[in-house]
């Protein structure tokens, strides 16, 4: 059973989390909680749908259709790393790189990557998540205007 979550978990997603080593599982549950907390703090995002895409926990905004899909994952081949993935064609990760070049490690234009022992810059990560959750609403705005809309997310 997946613990420490304020939001009910999809049973298929719980099975994936429960298949991970405990250290990784707790890190991904933390990212999951950040996604739900961030969504709850943004007016108009609506309910988050939790599902599996490519066998990985994924988060969508089906009610408002305001967001781009967010995935969180760990790969057996990279035991000390875990990631939060964003749709590469959405140009979200380039925006994150521009705004937070020193705060994160990036996996190309697809992900923010963490080592097991990294301190997660929560405030900055929540802003990145907020940008993804409002992507379809704000994608035509210039980068500074998009960031201004999510700067109050904490």
């Amino acid at each position: 059973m997946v613990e420490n979550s304020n939001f009910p978990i999809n049973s298929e997603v719980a099975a994936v989390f429960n298949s991970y080593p405990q250290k990784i599982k707790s890190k991904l549950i933390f990212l999951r909680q950040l996604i739900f907390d961030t969504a709850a703090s943004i007016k108009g995002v609506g309910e988050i749908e939790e599902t599996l895409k490519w066998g990985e926990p994924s988060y969508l905004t089906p009610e408002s259709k305001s967001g781009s899909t967010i995935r969180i994952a760990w790969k057996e081949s990279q035991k000390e790393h875990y990631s939060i993935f964003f749709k590469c064609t959405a140009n979200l990760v380039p925006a994150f790189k521009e705004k937070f070049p020193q705060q994160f490690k990036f996996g190309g234009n697809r992900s923010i990557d963490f080592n097991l022992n990294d301190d997660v810059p929560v405030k900055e990560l929540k802003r990145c998540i907020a940008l993804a959750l409002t992507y379809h609403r704000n994608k035509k705005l210039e980068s500074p205007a998009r960031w201004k809309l999510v700067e109050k997310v904490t």
Side-chain angles (χ1 to χ4, degrees), residues 21-44:
Q22 184 57 42
K23 280 199 250 181
I24 291 294
K25 177 178 158 182
S26 65
K27 299 291 186 176
L28 292 180
I29 293 294
F30 177 75
L31 292 181
R32 176 189 186 270
Q33 190 68 42
L34 279 181
I35 294 166
F36 278 98
D37 289 347
T38 302
S41 74
I42 303 169
K43 185 179 179 181

Side-chain angles (χ1 to χ4, degrees), residues 98-99 131 141-151:
E98 182 181 315
K99 182 76 170 175
L131 210 63
L141 298 175
E142 294 294 323
S143 188
R146 290 169 62 202
W147 283 112
K148 187 161 183 62
L149 291 172
V150 299
E151 72 185 11

Side-chain angles (χ1 to χ4, degrees), residues 100-119:
F100 302 116
Q102 303 302 315
Q103 289 87 343
F104 298 112
K105 295 176 198 120
F106 299 97
N109 287 336
R110 299 185 53 215
S111 64
I112 297 174
D113 302 331
F114 301 99
N115 290 320
L116 263 178
N117 296 322
D118 286 347
D119 290 327

Side-chain angles (χ1 to χ4, degrees), residues 4-23:
N4 298 325
S5 178
N6 297 336
F7 299 92
I9 190 163
N10 172 299
S11 61
E12 292 175 336
V13 172
V16 170
F17 284 141
N18 289 330
S19 74
Y20 292 155
Q22 184 57 42
K23 280 199 250 181

